[in-house]
Amino acid sequence: MTDHSNNGIPQRILALRTMFSKNRTYRELEERFRYLLERRRAELPAGILAEARRIALIGAGGMGSGDVNSSLSTGQSELVAVADIYDGRLTRAKEIWGSQIQTTRDYREILAKKDIDAVIIGTPDHWHARIAIDAMNAGKDVYVEKPMVQKVADGHLVIDAAKKTNRILQVGSQRVSSIIY
């Protein structure tokens, strides 16, 4: 809902503008973010955060790793597997998130695991549609970085897969995918 007293700018956008326009320290911004996160959690229906979701990362580059760190910071997810074609990223994933996570160069191994609830797709753009469709068909919820697809026809295929499988599909747009929105 838009607050018309602010020239049609939603209140949450005004709050963020204020938060970032002042000369604040990183600690102040972090404290404000934590406050907004807790306030947003309080608004969620009872029981929705009852158990952590087991997630996997497909594509452990900068965006995918950042998305996982954001998810883990909520305390409502557990990273259990990482897929990437670069061995160095798989080694780094174990260094960052622990040696207990499964790593593989083939994302289909992750999709075959029954104990994974959702995947974060942070691969190069041309893989987004194929992996998202495969993940939903494997019974996984999907968070995919933008762009979801490169061709309009592929977008229809992804949407059809989401409808057919009744899985959650979220297309990320960096900060506006945050829980504070």
Side-chain angles (χ1 to χ4, degrees):
M1 183 165 174
T2 303
D3 179 355
H4 295 287
S5 64
N6 294 306
N7 297 323
I9 301 171
Q11 192 62 37
R12 66 176 183 251
I13 301 300
L14 289 173
L16 284 174
R17 278 190 188 168
T18 302
M19 186 168 76
F20 286 104
S21 65
K22 294 179 180 173
N23 197 8
R24 296 186 183 222
T25 66
Y26 178 77
R27 181 178 296 289
E28 290 171 318
L29 292 174
E30 185 176 30
E31 287 172 5
R32 178 69 177 157
F33 175 78
R34 296 268 179 232
Y35 164 77
L36 292 171
L37 179 64
E38 289 306 316
R39 197 171 96 192
R40 188 67 157 161
R41 279 186 186 159
E43 296 171 0
L44 295 173
I48 198 166
L49 300 177
E51 61 183 54
R53 300 203 21 116
R54 295 173 54 83
I55 63 170
L57 172 61
I58 301 173
M63 289 307 299
S65 295
D67 292 338
V68 163
N69 286 332
S70 292
S71 179
L72 294 174
S73 74
T74 68
Q76 299 303 313
S77 61
E78 174 191 4
L79 182 65
V80 295
V82 174
D84 199 290
I85 61 168
Y86 297 112
D87 291 330
R89 287 185 179 163
L90 298 177
T91 301
R92 183 75 176 135
K94 285 187 176 276
E95 291 171 0
I96 295 170
W97 297 303
S99 60
Q100 77 284 356
I101 64 170
Q102 176 195 350
T103 58
T104 178
R105 292 175 50 103
D106 186 347
Y107 76 91
R108 294 169 295 190
E109 290 179 26
I110 285 177
L111 299 184
K113 292 178 64 70
K114 300 295 183 205
D115 64 338
I116 294 175
D117 302 312
V119 296
I120 293 174
I121 302 171
T123 60
D125 299 348
H126 63 277
W127 283 105
H128 289 181
R130 174 76 272 142
I131 296 172
I133 291 168
D134 288 350
M136 288 182 284
N137 285 333
K140 313 297 185 222
D141 292 330
V142 172
Y143 177 95
V144 60
E145 268 301 327
K146 65 177 174 63
M148 178 177 76
V149 298
Q150 291 188 312
K151 299 176 185 168
V152 173
D154 291 342
H156 294 292
L157 297 174
V158 174
I159 292 167
D160 290 344
K163 288 178 180 176
K164 181 185 97 182
T165 62
N166 198 31
R167 302 310 313 175
I168 296 170
L169 170 66
Q170 181 177 351
V171 181
S173 188
Q174 297 171 339
R175 71 178 164 75
V176 295
S177 293
S178 168
I179 195 167
I180 67 170
Y181 286 90

